[in-house]
Amino acid sequence: HDLGLFFLEQSDSIDGMPEISAKQRTELGKKSRALRREGMLPAVLYGESVKSTPLSVSARDFKKVLAEAGETSLVTLKVEGEEAHNVLIHDVAKDPLTLKPVHVDFYAVRMDRPIEAKVPLAFAGESPAVQNEGGILVKVLHELEVKALPQDLPHEIAVDTARLEKIGDRIHVRDLVLPAGVTALAPAEEAVALVEPPRSETELEELTKAEEVAPAAEVKTEREAKAETKKHLLLTADFP
């Protein structure tokens, strides 16, 4: 994990941030299974000027913090015997069968340098074009890449579909209301959501047939996608 991003001193922490405690971990490799049986989750902390450190955190506490902060909100990581770090939950490896977390990566961030991150979009509201005209709501984007200081990164970005009043209406990136200090990196004219005309039974049948014969697209695993994101963050971070 030698992909260092940023480091932060405890004195720069922000009040009200979710917190999680951690201990340095000596159980590595297969020995990590014993930790999980005890309700602990193997983790690692790394960042600029931060030595890669194996940790363990409470699986129950991590579940709560992940629900509150997601992967774009800051978390205070309190490592036993050390100063606290402001971190992002960057990579969560999950068991393929149970989908429970089995390992987590914490990125220590530096608060005075903007970073790029993909923030989930939260769709809300009822589209009149869908309700009254039978239109089909198409969500083109499910996350938006933004640039901001770590403390300004939002947990999610709201998308109000109630503004889609007629068939063919669109919501563009430029229409989104972003928090102060947050800049969208996607083109302003890129579509976020739109309403298509209702499909006939014949069109639906043809669409179903096309899906059945279409070759399966290559699907990246979560870890592969996150690995690409890590490289992207490293290349785009504003270093001094």
Side-chain angles (χ1 to χ4, degrees):
H1 296 292
D2 190 19
L3 295 171
L5 284 188
F6 312 107
F7 176 71
L8 167 81
E9 295 296 337
Q10 184 178 17
S11 59
D12 293 322
S13 60
I14 300 174
D15 292 337
M17 277 171 40
E19 296 182 358
I20 189 168
S21 298
K23 295 182 179 181
Q24 293 200 22
R25 172 168 55 96
T26 56
E27 299 86 349
L28 305 176
K30 294 183 178 179
K31 294 182 180 180
S32 297
R33 296 176 183 174
L35 280 175
R36 299 187 187 100
R37 287 194 293 268
E38 297 171 0
M40 302 300 288
L41 183 64
V44 64
L45 167 69
Y46 51 94
E48 183 184 359
S49 301
V50 177
K51 182 181 178 181
S52 180
T53 306
L55 304 172
S56 62
V57 298
S58 162
R60 178 181 297 181
D61 291 347
F62 177 74
K63 182 178 180 181
K64 294 178 182 177
V65 168
L66 180 62
E68 183 177 354
E71 297 186 25
T72 57
S73 296
L74 287 171
V75 174
T76 299
L77 179 67
K78 295 185 174 180
V79 181
E80 189 176 56
E82 296 184 9
E83 292 187 337
H85 303 279
N86 284 351
V87 301
L88 292 175
I89 299 171
H90 195 270
D91 188 6
V92 182
K94 297 179 180 179
D95 183 285
L97 296 179
T98 65
L99 298 182
K100 292 182 179 180
V102 295
H103 189 278
V104 58
D105 286 10
F106 293 110
Y107 265 168
V109 300
R110 178 170 164 175
M111 304 297 283
D112 61 347
R113 297 292 177 186
I115 60 174
E116 298 178 6
K118 293 181 179 179
V119 178
L121 298 178
F123 293 86
E126 295 184 354
S127 164
V130 174
Q131 295 292 105
N132 304 328
E133 301 180 40
I136 300 172
L137 176 64
V138 179
K139 299 174 182 178
V140 182
L141 298 180
H142 293 276
E143 57 185 13
L144 182 69
E145 189 168 13
V146 301
K147 185 173 184 177
L149 292 172
Q151 64 269 32
D152 293 333
L153 285 175
H155 182 62
E156 61 186 19
I157 296 172
V159 182
D160 183 11
T161 57
R163 64 186 300 159
L164 297 171
E165 299 179 352
K166 304 185 299 296
I167 299 291
D169 279 358
R170 295 176 174 233
I171 296 175
H172 300 88
V173 169
R174 64 172 176 266
D175 301 319
L176 300 178
V177 179
L178 301 179
V182 178
T183 302
L185 297 180
E189 65 277 8
E190 185 170 350
V192 174
L194 55 90
V195 178
E196 292 184 343
R199 295 189 176 101
S200 65
E201 291 186 9
T202 302
E203 288 176 322
L204 289 174
E205 289 178 1
E206 292 178 351
L207 183 62
T208 301
K209 291 178 181 178
E211 290 177 348
E212 290 175 351
V213 299
E218 180 182 352
V219 179
K220 295 181 180 177
T221 65
E222 181 181 8
R223 291 187 67 82
E224 289 173 338
K226 291 290 179 63
E228 290 186 0
T229 303
K230 288 177 185 177
K231 294 179 181 178
H232 178 68
L233 281 170
L234 180 63
L235 292 174
T236 56
D238 287 344
F239 291 102

